[in-house]
């Protein structure tokens, strides 16, 4: 594996201990790039996420035990919009929108925030989506297929949820209620 202090995350089999820079992400899980530090992606393909399907894997689970990521980011990811098979550990900021496979920490987006498995805090202006969520989702619209924690928004929806939902309309496997909903079974 090639190692560098400053590099591009477009290279394959690379570990960058410092700053990685690139123009866009991809869904190529054979790239094998690890960034320990700061990852900068400008402009990022996620800026066009509003034009397509905003929730690509919201109903399709993936096997984390047998999954290879195109990139692992340990630290800070800043982009106008990332859209990749990424594992984010730390803080990821998608100014317009972002999509990733695994988020451990804090995921923040100006529009869409789609992380297949989020552990920590997921915050977006318009919508959050996760297949698995452990932690907190705060946005106008929150969706998780299987979640534990707190959802705060105008509309909160989960097929299987343990925790509290606070919003205008809240849906979980037990009931549909305005203002506050809960399930601890």
């Amino acid at each position: 594996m090639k190692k560098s202090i400053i590099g591009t995350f477009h290279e394959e089999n690379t570990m960058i201990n410092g700053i990685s820079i690139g123009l866009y992400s991809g869904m190529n899980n054979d790239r094998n790039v690890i960034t320990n530090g700061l990852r900068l992606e400008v402009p990022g393909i996620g800026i066009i996420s509003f034009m397509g399907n905003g929730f690509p894997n919201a109903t399709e689970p993936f096997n984390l035990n047998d999954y290879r990521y195109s990139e692992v980011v340990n630290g800070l990811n800043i982009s106008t919009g990332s859209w990749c098979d990424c594992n984010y550990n730390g803080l990821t900021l998608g100014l317009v929108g972002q999509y990733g496979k695994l988020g451990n920490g804090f995921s923040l987006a100006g529009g869409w925030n789609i992380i297949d498995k989020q552990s920590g805090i997921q915050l977006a202006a318009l919508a959050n989506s996760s297949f698995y969520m452990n932690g907190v989702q705060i946005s106008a619209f929150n969706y998780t297929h299987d979640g534990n924690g707190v959802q705060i928004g105008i509309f909160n929806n989960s097929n299987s949820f343990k925790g509290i939902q606070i919003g205008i309309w809240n849906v979980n496997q037990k009931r549909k209620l305005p203002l506050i909903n809960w399930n601890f079974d």
Side-chain angles (χ1 to χ4, degrees):
M1 178 173 270
K2 179 184 169 189
K3 294 183 180 182
S4 64
I5 296 173
I6 297 175
T8 175
F9 55 79
H10 295 292
E11 294 182 42
E12 293 183 3
N13 300 315
T14 303
M15 178 182 287
I16 302 165
N17 296 310
I19 300 172
S20 67
I21 302 168
L23 297 176
Y24 60 89
S25 308
M27 301 300 277
N28 177 0
N29 63 7
D30 294 329
R31 205 159 14 111
N32 191 27
V33 176
I34 298 171
T35 299
N36 297 310
L38 174 62
R39 179 184 183 273
L40 295 173
E41 181 182 359
V42 178
I45 199 165
I47 63 171
I48 63 171
S49 63
F50 291 109
M51 296 168 29
N53 181 359
F55 302 94
N57 291 331
T59 60
E60 301 172 15
F62 63 100
N63 184 349
L64 286 172
N65 298 324
D66 196 26
Y67 195 83
R68 291 180 41 206
Y69 303 97
S70 61
E71 292 183 59
V72 176
V73 180
N74 299 311
L76 175 60
N77 175 61
I78 300 174
S79 174
T80 51
S82 295
W83 199 266
C84 72
D85 289 335
C86 289
N87 174 351
Y88 302 112
N89 298 300
L91 173 61
T92 179
L93 302 171
L95 299 179
V96 175
Q98 66 184 346
Y99 167 74
K101 284 291 183 187
L102 184 61
N104 294 304
F106 189 76
S107 300
L108 172 66
W112 304 102
N113 196 0
I114 305 149
I115 307 291
D116 283 344
K117 182 176 191 249
Q118 175 70 43
S119 296
I121 299 172
Q122 192 175 19
L123 178 66
L126 295 177
N128 286 316
S129 176
S130 291
F131 193 89
Y132 305 104
M133 187 275 294
N134 289 302
V136 178
Q137 283 185 324
I138 302 171
S139 184
F141 301 94
N142 296 300
Y143 173 80
T144 183
H145 185 273
D146 189 357
N148 296 295
V150 177
Q151 288 182 316
I152 301 171
I154 295 170
F155 178 75
N156 301 301
N157 187 359
S158 181
N159 293 348
S160 176
F161 190 76
K162 289 184 181 179
I164 297 175
Q165 297 170 307
I166 301 169
I168 302 298
W169 191 246
N170 306 288
V171 177
N172 65 31
Q173 71 274 24
K174 288 188 107 175
R175 64 185 76 83
K176 300 174 184 177
L177 289 173
L179 303 181
I180 192 164
N181 198 357
W182 63 93
N183 180 38
F184 299 108
D185 293 335

